[in-house]
Amino acid sequence: PGLTAHDVYPSIRVSGFNGRVTDVETVRVIFRSVEGYGVILKEIDINFEDDGAEIGALRTELHEKIWLPLVFSDKMMIQRDKPVRVWGFGGKEGDFVTVQLEKDIAKAEVQNGKWLCELPSRPASSEGETLTVTYRDQTFTYSDIWFGDLWWAGGQSNMEVVCGAEPEEEQARFRAGLSSDDKIRFFKQRQCAADLPRLDVHQGKWYDLTVENYRMFSCVAANFICELYRQTKIPVAIVYGAIGATKLEAWLPATEFGEDEYSKRFTSWFYRRQYDGEIWYRPIGPFHQMVEPMTDFNIKGLIWYQGEGNSRDERDYPYYAERLHDMVEYWGKRFRIENMPFVASQLAPFPMAEDSVYGFCCIREAVLNASLDYENMEAAFIGDTADETHDCHPPNKDIVGIRMAHRMLEKVYGIPGVHQGPVPNAIQKDGNAFVISFDGVGDGLVANDGEPLRHFELSADGKKFFPAKAEIVKDTVVVSCDEVQDPYMVQYAFKAVPKVNFFNKNGFVATPFRMTLDGLYHEPKA
């Protein structure tokens, strides 16, 4: 779907044997109109001996028309406090397109088939402004435009799952939190991938998030923006782009892969998958179609729920934190955001095949490490979302979205309070015990069910672990066990489905972790 960014005008390449075309005299080309593109339906029979006149006529016809991407429509949300960028395609080279947003007017010159202009920034507002774009005899008018914060929601299927697929009790909780006065919007696009950069997304549309239509929206993303709006009252929107089963690397361009063995292995793996549909999993396939067409737009930041696809090969997960940072850096560069705000969810508890347990735990660990190693990256802990139905798409997506929102409420909006659960920050040995201190203590550490803390284990060599006794002593946890008199490593909740009870008194669950006297553990690279 869509035109390629390499050629604004349609182009055809025909190849044969020995440098010549055999047994072909004419090619019939059908230019099919697509809603919102303004491309004219036209059939052309191209004779290879003389096609200049017909192609020239089509080119002249296209020069007389412009079109705007689907993100421009009624009910759109534009990022507040940043220049308003308006762009589109078509028009005659050197001509000017007029863009007007209420009293602000700018002109954009057509250059290489594209035009773009910037208008002055706007503060947050839900008054409903009107944008008008004019070229020759064409006029595009978009109304009820708001200004607020736009967040991109990306990842794989746990970000993709819609509200309507969740249990009715969770849907009821979500509906109860919605109000007709909410200033919340959602840009939903169809899932697609492409081998080449696209100029537009496929079948995208803006919606108000309401009691009537909430079922069609990503449950994690919807809960995220609802919590942001409840806490800030700033108009907010989600731009959605996620595809189930994709690895993280599918959202990076091939140019971002280096010459190390990991990069070579992934590049080779991606390009071996040539059968239908596998384009979704290649480097930048989803980015070309779902993200790149939007990069002229301004956004606030990125929320991310992914990692299951990287948990099944032991050669993958030691690189996950680094690759996650690479992706955030690349997206930030493309969206022109230095230190782009970013929050990733850890993976939910899920009983999988025994040989995948370790990788799942390591991806959770990698998300934690990335949040601590890189300034603009945050992690949401969701260890209390265990699914009794053994579904790889656990319920309680509201918990995930709300936890993500709290990380951004603290880091981006500066709202005081407790916004995260316990995170280990120091460790020391006391006899045969480890004493661990924490950030995110809030009003105090607690076992939220009144039982002893579960899932703490000690090891003398980092390989064989024994269940340990863990006691809360003020703002620390003291961990010991009779089988390990000289502990080397402690791990907490390093299981596929830990039934956790370690929280702070503010209701936030602690992160899973592994730790030695050198600090939090990082899985070594092969």
Side-chain angles (χ1 to χ4, degrees), residues 63-299:
H63 274 156
E64 297 173 356
K65 300 290 183 182
I66 65 168
W67 58 274
L68 283 79
L70 295 174
V71 71
F72 293 100
S73 71
D74 295 341
K75 293 184 176 295
M76 71 185 299
M77 182 90 78
I78 296 176
Q79 178 60 44
R80 67 184 174 114
D81 301 330
K82 287 189 177 183
V84 178
R85 298 169 65 89
V86 182
W87 76 96
F89 302 92
K92 186 176 181 179
E93 190 76 8
D95 273 5
F96 286 87
V97 177
T98 302
V99 179
Q100 182 171 357
L101 180 63
E102 298 299 330
K103 296 180 180 180
D104 293 321
I105 300 176
K107 289 186 178 293
E109 183 178 3
V110 178
Q111 296 179 329
N112 297 319
K114 181 179 178 179
W115 47 270
L116 181 149
C117 68
E118 291 186 349
L119 295 104
S121 63
R122 296 284 205 281
S125 170
S126 57
E127 295 299 318
E129 298 192 23
T130 298
L131 175 68
T132 304
V133 179
T134 305
Y135 177 72
R136 295 187 179 183
D137 62 348
Q138 289 180 278
T139 300
F140 301 85
T141 302
Y142 308 111
S143 60
D144 197 17
I145 296 172
W146 291 351
F147 295 86
D149 285 342
L150 278 75
W151 292 86
W152 189 286
Q156 57 181 106
S157 57
N158 270 306
M159 181 64 83
E160 178 185 339
V161 172
V162 296
C163 293
E166 293 302 292
E168 175 53 34
E169 58 268 25
E170 183 173 343
Q171 294 188 46
R173 290 197 301 270
F174 186 76
R175 289 194 303 269
L178 291 177
S179 166
S180 59
D181 295 326
D182 291 345
K183 308 302 180 185
I184 302 172
R185 285 180 170 170
F186 208 106
F187 184 77
K188 187 178 179 69
Q189 59 170 302
R190 184 174 177 180
Q191 295 169 311
C192 287
D195 271 331
L196 297 174
R198 296 296 184 179
L199 299 184
D200 203 1
V201 300
H202 190 43
Q203 297 182 353
K205 186 177 180 181
W206 284 99
Y207 299 86
D208 288 317
L209 184 59
T210 67
V211 172
E212 290 73 30
N213 66 14
Y214 75 93
R215 292 176 181 84
M216 64 188 288
F217 300 124
S218 160
C219 193
V220 170
N223 278 281
F224 171 82
I225 56 174
C226 284
E227 183 68 11
L228 285 188
Y229 182 74
R230 281 192 289 265
Q231 298 290 340
T232 68
K233 297 303 179 184
I234 296 171
V236 65
I238 279 289
V239 180
Y240 165 82
I243 296 179
T246 48
K247 291 176 179 281
L248 181 150
E249 290 77 9
W251 298 90
L252 271 172
T255 55
E256 296 299 299
F257 285 70
E259 293 300 319
D260 58 277
E261 290 303 314
Y262 172 82
S263 295
K264 290 178 180 178
R265 178 171 58 82
F266 258 106
T267 302
S268 174
W269 181 85
F270 278 122
Y271 285 100
R272 284 200 310 269
R273 298 164 72 92
Q274 295 294 325
Y275 50 91
D276 289 346
E278 293 297 342
I279 189 175
W280 283 13
Y281 309 111
R282 298 180 200 161
I284 214 170
F287 189 93
H288 274 330
Q289 179 64 77
M290 300 185 73
V291 184
E292 188 150 8
M294 301 283 286
T295 53
D296 281 321
F297 217 43
N298 283 319
I299 64 172

